Amino acid sequence: MTKSFFYQISSFAIALIILTGMILLSGASPLAIIASMWGGAFGTLDQVARVVSTLAPLLLCASGLLFTFTAGLYNLGIEGQISFGAIVAMIPIRLFQDVLPPALVIVLAIGLGGVGGALWGLLAGALNVYGRVNEIFAGLGLNFVADGLALYLIFGPWKKEGVASMSGTETFHESLWLPTLANTDISPISLLLGIAAVVITLVVLRGTHFGLQLRAVGQNLRASYVLGIPSTRQLLSAFAICGSFAGLAGSLQVLAVYHRLIPSVSSNLGFLALLVAMLIGLNALLILPVAFFFSALNVGSLQLPLELNLESSLAGVIQGMLVLFALLGRGLSETLPPQAIRRQIAIWFDKKQTAKG
Amino acid sequence: MEAAQILPILSVAIATSTPLIFACLGETITERAGVINLSAEGTVMLAAMTGFAVAKTTENWGDISLLLGFASAAIVGVLIALVVAFGALTLKQSQEAIGFVLALLCADLSSFLGSNFVRIPGPTVPSFPIPWLKDIPLLGALFFQSDLLVYTSYLLIFLTAVYFYRTRAGLMLRAIGEQPAAAFARGTNVILMRYFYTLLGGALMGIAGAAFALDFKAGWSHRHTAGYGWIALAIVIFGGWNPLRVALSCYLFGILQSLASVAQSTIPDVPTQVFTVAPFVLMILLLVLTSSDRLAILLKRLPPIVSRITTQTIQSIPPAALGKVFEQD
């Protein structure tokens, strides 16, 4: 614990040093950036609300990804699972918005969104398990297919009255929008779903037989198969669970955020959740704080172009750097224990001594 | 369609494909050595930004600014590949994880660092028709009336194919991707060679970025080359990790792209999304067909010659040790 802790802290520090250097080189002041981002994330109630509303889909996706990571899978198809969930969530809205009571339509849309995401995830899973296609490439390919499908719908069958545009489909009636807390962006339902996902993930992965089997499959697929764990079913369930969480996130993007289907409705949330999942390893307890931090970075960075004339993509740079160095630090702690470094330094020091003498 | 209509489609296709040729051959070399460089999307983007920024800043120095642009783009590619190689080969971490993080990180980095170079005119690679050859009917107009970058890509395809299949070093390159233990037993430093080919592939991906920003999609804007890195990864698979087939797949993709723009006006019934999504669907289908045994079973029923030729043309089997950690002691 202490050893890996040491490496984690140092990798964190190195990432921060490099970031500071980069910011200084680009002629900006790191302190001004921190102040501006802090203000951007927590300055007003609206901004805090935006942080919280970005948090909900992130919690869902990161929780789902913990299942696939536990099973040893890189579910890069999560972006497509969000998009497909959003697309499927649109179906009941378009069909029943004038027929059924709004509350029922909302429930249907959320539910079907989850089912859609699960199906898209299962498709990647089936390609992986039965077609022996690497899940990374299957997932990446399916992301583009889902995005293409959304674009096709927006410019084809579901196009706006009059002229189709990149701004998406027609905004649907306000009665179908997820209710928000007093004029802010916070949707209690989204947030509850997100937190429920984290709790379910914690309980299932740590406290159930299924979680144990999933871990066995992830650690050694062959061995778990030989031991009689239904590994195919485990892998497919991991894909389906992750897909359904992502699909829920997609339906929330439609119901609570955009109130219509837009191109690239996933807004890179899936990839951001992948970064969260990679940073925390397999520790579900860390989902909430890390996802909150990443969400605050994203929202806070929107202030940078306004105040400091800097690109808001700095948030992505910070997130990427942290994860990259966490991965490298983890690698260092495995291949290069501190004793080895100390020994190396001692040898080097000895050489210097003998060279002098 | 008549020849007069097809010619512009094909020449647009070649122009679209050229940067991808560099990126895909780079990735092919890296993957044949057993390393996946998943950072392609970020590498191409950051290299495009760097190449454009350097060429723009040194614009007054004359033609050398272009060379500097390409060189700096290649260096960016090498540096990113170095991180992948260090993480994957020295620290033995997941190549996919590190490559993926770099893909996102470098894309954002390109937006952050390149904000001063957005949408301004910059130097571009001048056209350079080859004397005599350019006058050959049809072929001349298609292949020999472009610029040095395009000719370099032809040469690169040829050289990579020859290197892979006709030289001893190429044999070793394939060996460290297929049977690293055997290659090591024969005295090859597998890790060192993998470092070398990862960096070489990274350099080519960097050049691909510059090829976009200084030639085929001249200039720089927010996420200027978005999508091309992922497409490059798909094309390498579609091309079955064989340089000639990878190059052909690049051209096929180029034709699809230029058809997409034509189709919009001539056959409006077909949604244009079909053309952008097609490469990925084709890649997945091909992978399903060839990685499972179904194709082999199907082909056994055909006459041997037919089945052999089909297998050679569409088989897509990854290098056996691709993405796997090799313990070299």
Side-chain angles (χ1 to χ4, degrees):
Chain A
M1 178 62 207
T2 45
K3 191 184 79 186
S4 75
F5 189 69
F6 163 75
Y7 276 103
Q8 245 148 47
I9 293 292
S10 354
S11 61
F12 192 72
I14 293 173
L16 285 184
I17 291 170
I18 290 181
L19 278 168
T20 316
M22 198 193 74
I23 289 168
L24 286 174
L25 277 179
S26 75
S29 142
L31 288 177
I33 286 180
I34 293 173
S36 167
M37 286 179 89
W38 180 269
F42 305 113
T44 66
L45 191 64
D46 264 358
Q47 284 157 331
V48 179
R50 221 164 294 150
V51 174
V52 176
S53 70
T54 317
L55 178 66
L58 209 49
L59 289 179
L60 277 165
C61 294
S63 305
L65 284 167
L66 235 54
F67 283 90
T68 43
F69 270 116
T70 304
L73 298 163
Y74 280 86
N75 183 15
L76 297 200
I78 185 151
E79 285 278 317
Q81 288 147 24
I82 299 175
S83 303
F84 197 69
I87 291 171
V88 177
M90 282 297 288
I91 296 174
I93 296 173
R94 293 187 65 85
L95 285 181
F96 304 126
Q97 57 179 347
D98 301 321
V99 190
L100 297 176
L104 190 61
V105 177
I106 290 177
V107 171
L108 266 178
I110 293 180
L112 283 181
V115 173
L119 286 177
W120 209 247
L122 271 178
L123 183 55
L127 285 170
N128 180 248
V129 174
Y130 300 115
R132 288 184 223 160
V133 179
N134 183 321
E135 81 276 6
I136 292 180
F137 297 116
L140 280 175
L142 288 175
N143 287 350
F144 284 89
V145 177
D147 273 351
L149 183 63
L151 274 175
Y152 165 70
L153 289 170
I154 289 167
F155 284 91
W158 291 358
K159 69 169 173 247
K160 254 187 199 167
E161 291 287 318
V163 64
S165 81
M166 284 301 277
S167 66
T169 58
E170 195 90 47
T171 308
F172 48 75
H173 193 260
E174 223 166 299
S175 61
L176 294 175
W177 300 10
L178 276 193
T180 52
L181 282 181
N183 291 333
T184 64
D185 285 348
I186 298 183
S187 149
I189 300 177
S190 306
L191 195 59
L192 276 179
L193 278 173
I195 290 171
V198 177
V199 174
I200 291 173
T201 308
L202 256 175
V203 172
V204 171
L205 286 183
R206 297 204 168 181
T208 66
H209 193 60
F210 172 79
L212 186 67
Q213 288 190 332
L214 205 59
R215 245 180 302 159
V217 169
Q219 305 241 316
N220 193 332
L221 186 59
R222 251 199 99 64
S224 65
Y225 177 75
V226 172
L227 284 171
I229 295 172
S231 42
T232 303
R233 207 169 66 203
Q234 299 289 326
L235 291 175
L236 287 177
S237 342
F239 274 112
I241 295 171
C242 184
S244 65
F245 283 2
L248 282 180
S251 69
L252 295 178
Q253 289 293 96
V254 165
L255 285 163
V257 183
Y258 298 113
H259 310 126
R260 61 181 190 275
L261 184 67
I262 60 164
S264 60
V265 65
S266 56
S267 344
N268 267 331
L269 279 170
F271 281 166
L272 189 60
L274 268 161
L275 290 185
V276 172
M278 283 180 188
L279 189 58
I280 62 178
L282 292 175
N283 190 348
L285 280 173
L286 291 175
I287 292 179
L288 192 60
V290 173
F292 184 79
F293 176 52
F294 275 28
S295 170
L297 279 176
N298 263 22
V299 175
S301 70
L302 298 177
Q303 202 69 14
L304 292 177
L306 308 176
E307 277 182 12
L308 302 173
N309 202 16
L310 285 170
E311 283 285 322
S312 63
S313 53
L314 182 62
V317 176
I318 297 174
Q319 291 152 350
M321 282 284 185
L322 290 178
V323 178
L324 178 66
F325 278 90
L327 288 175
L328 294 179
R330 216 170 283 163
L332 272 175
S333 75
E334 281 164 21
T335 49
L336 205 68
Q339 301 93 306
I341 301 180
R342 237 173 273 147
R343 204 179 316 133
Q344 281 298 319
I345 293 174
I347 291 170
W348 175 77
F349 202 72
D350 276 355
K351 263 190 202 154
K352 265 202 148 174
Q353 292 284 329
T354 40
K356 264 188 197 163
Chain B
M1 261 187 255
E2 295 160 30
Q5 278 176 298
I6 295 174
L7 206 58
I9 294 181
L10 289 182
S11 52
V12 171
I14 289 180
T16 321
S17 311
T18 302
L20 281 173
I21 295 271
F22 287 96
C24 294
L25 288 179
E27 185 70 36
T28 306
I29 292 170
T30 303
E31 291 195 12
R32 279 308 278 262
V35 179
I36 303 177
N37 187 346
L38 209 60
S39 75
E41 176 79 359
T43 301
V44 172
M45 219 182 283
L46 190 58
M49 192 283 290
T50 315
F52 182 75
V54 168
K56 177 74 192 169
T57 318
T58 59
E59 203 176 5
N60 300 330
W61 302 2
D63 280 344
I64 190 115
S65 70
L66 282 172
L67 275 181
L68 287 175
F70 276 97
S72 56
I75 291 170
V76 166
V78 167
L79 289 178
I80 298 170
L82 185 63
V83 180
V84 174
F86 178 70
L89 302 171
T90 303
L91 300 184
K92 302 189 171 62
Q93 293 300 293
S94 151
Q95 307 173 359
E96 292 89 346
I98 290 176
F100 175 73
V101 174
L102 282 168
L104 300 190
L105 170 62
C106 295
D108 279 324
L109 212 48
S110 75
S111 295
F112 182 69
L113 298 176
S115 55
N116 291 333
F117 295 94
V118 173
R119 281 196 200 88
I120 46 173
T124 51
V125 178
S127 90
F128 183 86
I130 300 183
W132 299 302
L133 287 177
K134 74 177 160 69
D135 297 324
I136 304 172
L138 288 178
L139 291 184
L142 200 53
F143 294 113
F144 302 114
Q145 290 186 8
S146 16
D147 54 40
L148 282 173
L149 197 58
V150 177
Y151 309 140
T152 315
S153 73
Y154 301 154
L155 196 65
L156 183 68
I157 300 169
F158 174 74
L159 287 179
T160 317
V162 169
Y163 185 80
F164 266 41
Y165 299 110
R166 290 283 179 275
T167 68
R168 186 149 184 84
L171 182 67
M172 284 328 282
L173 159 63
R174 287 180 289 142
I176 58 173
E178 297 286 350
Q179 296 281 351
F184 180 60
R186 296 214 40 170
T188 311
N189 188 337
V190 174
I191 300 290
L192 189 69
M193 292 317 281
R194 282 187 172 173
Y195 257 98
F196 174 72
Y197 288 118
T198 309
L199 299 194
L200 179 64
L204 288 175
M205 275 189 253
I207 290 173
F212 276 115
L214 298 174
D215 200 345
F216 301 101
K217 206 178 169 203
W220 171 253
S221 60
H222 181 64
R223 299 193 162 254
H224 193 64
T225 62
Y228 284 107
W230 301 127
I231 287 166
L233 290 171
I235 289 177
V236 172
I237 299 171
F238 192 72
W241 291 270
N242 170 329
L244 286 179
R245 274 181 53 199
V246 166
L248 272 179
S249 310
C250 285
Y251 289 126
L252 193 69
F253 173 78
I255 291 173
L256 269 177
Q257 290 291 298
S258 72
L259 271 182
S261 50
V262 178
Q264 221 161 3
S265 49
T266 52
I267 31 172
D269 291 341
V270 180
T272 45
Q273 287 80 30
V274 169
F275 295 96
T276 46
V277 167
F280 298 100
V281 178
L282 286 175
M283 166 197 80
I284 292 175
L285 286 181
L286 193 78
L287 277 178
V288 172
L289 267 180
T290 58
S291 2
S292 56
D293 312 323
R294 278 170 208 125
L295 185 73
I297 296 164
L298 202 75
L299 283 178
K300 268 191 192 139
R301 297 190 188 149
L302 296 171
I305 299 172
V306 180
S307 86
R308 204 180 62 226
I309 293 173
T310 335
T311 315
Q312 277 172 1
T313 33
I314 70 163
Q315 199 166 45
S316 189
I317 293 176
L322 182 60
K324 295 198 178 108
V325 170
F326 178 65
E327 301 282 352
Q328 175 172 301
D329 290 312

